Amino acid sequence: MPEIHQGAGLLGFAAGQGPRLLPVLSHPEATMELEVLWQLAMQLQQQGYPVLVLDATAEEQAQEPGLAPWLARQASPRSDDMGMPTVVPAARGLAQLMDGEGAAAVQALADVVHPFAVVLLYATAPTVAALMRDQAVTPLIIATPGEAALLRSYSLLKQMAACSSLPCTVAVVQAPGSRRDGGERVLQALRRGSAQWLGTRLRGGVVNAGDEAELGALALQLLENACTMAGREVGTAPAYSPGATRYHLGQPH
């Protein structure tokens, strides 16, 4: 586990508590959103938290074993020695976990990911709603300016409202150099739609993708929205599973 960050008292996140799990909602048209997810993972890694990204949109393969073999104890995860976030496919493993109850599934996940401090779960709204129904967690929606992105983000909010009572946070991320008012319009439209049609009060903000300080602040805020996973197993990190960090978000699968 990392050294305690100077803001850890406010975040309620310190060594010995177990990994923190934050769901990030996925959608098929994601492009810039995947880059932002990687940047957030990098920000947390650079602040001393070993990060694992579970990509539930990609299926485990022989050359990219991912979560399923970890759950079957055929391989063991370990944080990257080079200080990079670890990204692995997780579709089959998540489907296996979903066969159990929500709390038991999260505990089983915690048992295999304990070498990491932060776990970002990139998955669909129904998957997140089912897995996290017993957890105090706030899933993240990464949005971008534009009408198409606005409609996609609202669709994710609608799906979550239909499946779960979990509140969501929206981060509208703008390309470097773009006008901030475009992102503000998207956020305000999502807030109005959430209040009028879904009966929910939306939390969110606008972030410049080229501003390291804003991305770092968002990454730390995300820890407040995460839940602590309490598994049965404790101990040192097991042996590293070859190839685990060569997988990249958004690669063809």
Side-chain angles (χ1 to χ4, degrees):
M1 298 291 288
E3 293 182 359
I4 300 175
H5 185 270
Q6 62 181 357
L10 294 176
L11 296 170
F13 179 45
Q17 285 187 313
R20 298 282 282 177
L21 174 63
L22 178 72
V24 180
L25 301 190
S26 67
H27 60 80
E29 293 81 22
T31 52
M32 182 181 173
E33 293 91 330
L34 291 174
E35 174 60 27
V36 173
L37 176 57
W38 174 253
Q39 288 180 289
L40 292 174
M42 282 293 298
Q43 287 286 336
L44 290 167
Q45 187 82 29
Q46 290 167 3
Q47 299 213 28
Y49 305 115
V51 177
L52 170 66
V53 181
L54 295 176
D55 184 2
T57 70
E59 195 166 284
E60 298 89 328
Q61 305 291 339
Q63 65 275 22
E64 295 291 351
L67 179 60
W70 294 354
L71 293 171
R73 298 301 196 270
Q74 296 170 352
S76 299
R78 183 180 175 183
S79 57
D80 180 35
D81 292 335
M82 301 301 293
M84 298 289 285
T86 299
V87 185
V88 299
R92 289 195 290 114
L94 262 292
Q96 178 182 334
L97 286 173
M98 299 306 295
D99 289 337
E101 294 295 326
V106 172
Q107 185 179 68
L109 179 61
D111 287 342
V112 299
V113 301
H114 59 81
F116 300 91
V118 179
V119 179
L120 302 177
L121 171 62
Y122 186 65
T124 63
T127 297
V128 169
L131 182 66
M132 309 303 297
R133 62 179 180 268
D134 299 321
Q135 306 299 316
V137 68
T138 306
L140 173 68
I141 295 174
I142 300 173
T144 55
E147 184 175 350
L150 170 62
L151 294 175
R152 286 197 303 266
S153 299
Y154 181 76
S155 176
L156 291 175
L157 288 168
K158 188 176 180 181
Q159 289 179 54
M160 282 300 296
C163 298
S164 168
S165 60
L166 291 175
C168 291
T169 293
V170 173
V172 181
V173 183
Q174 299 195 183
S178 59
R179 290 174 57 90
R180 197 174 188 88
D181 55 359
E184 293 288 355
R185 284 195 296 270
V186 169
L187 183 59
Q188 292 306 316
L190 289 172
R191 281 177 169 157
R192 287 194 300 269
S194 296
Q196 183 174 357
W197 302 110
L198 305 179
T200 59
R201 184 166 179 252
L202 182 65
R203 289 184 263 179
V206 179
V207 179
N208 185 337
D211 190 316
E212 291 290 322
E214 287 192 7
L215 286 169
L218 174 61
L220 286 177
Q221 288 171 12
L222 295 181
L223 292 183
E224 294 181 313
N225 298 335
C227 64
T228 300
M229 293 189 289
R232 291 178 293 262
E233 298 183 5
V234 295
T236 58
Y240 170 66
S241 176
T245 58
R246 292 200 296 269
Y247 177 81
H248 297 285
L249 278 167
Q251 71 178 31
H253 51 265

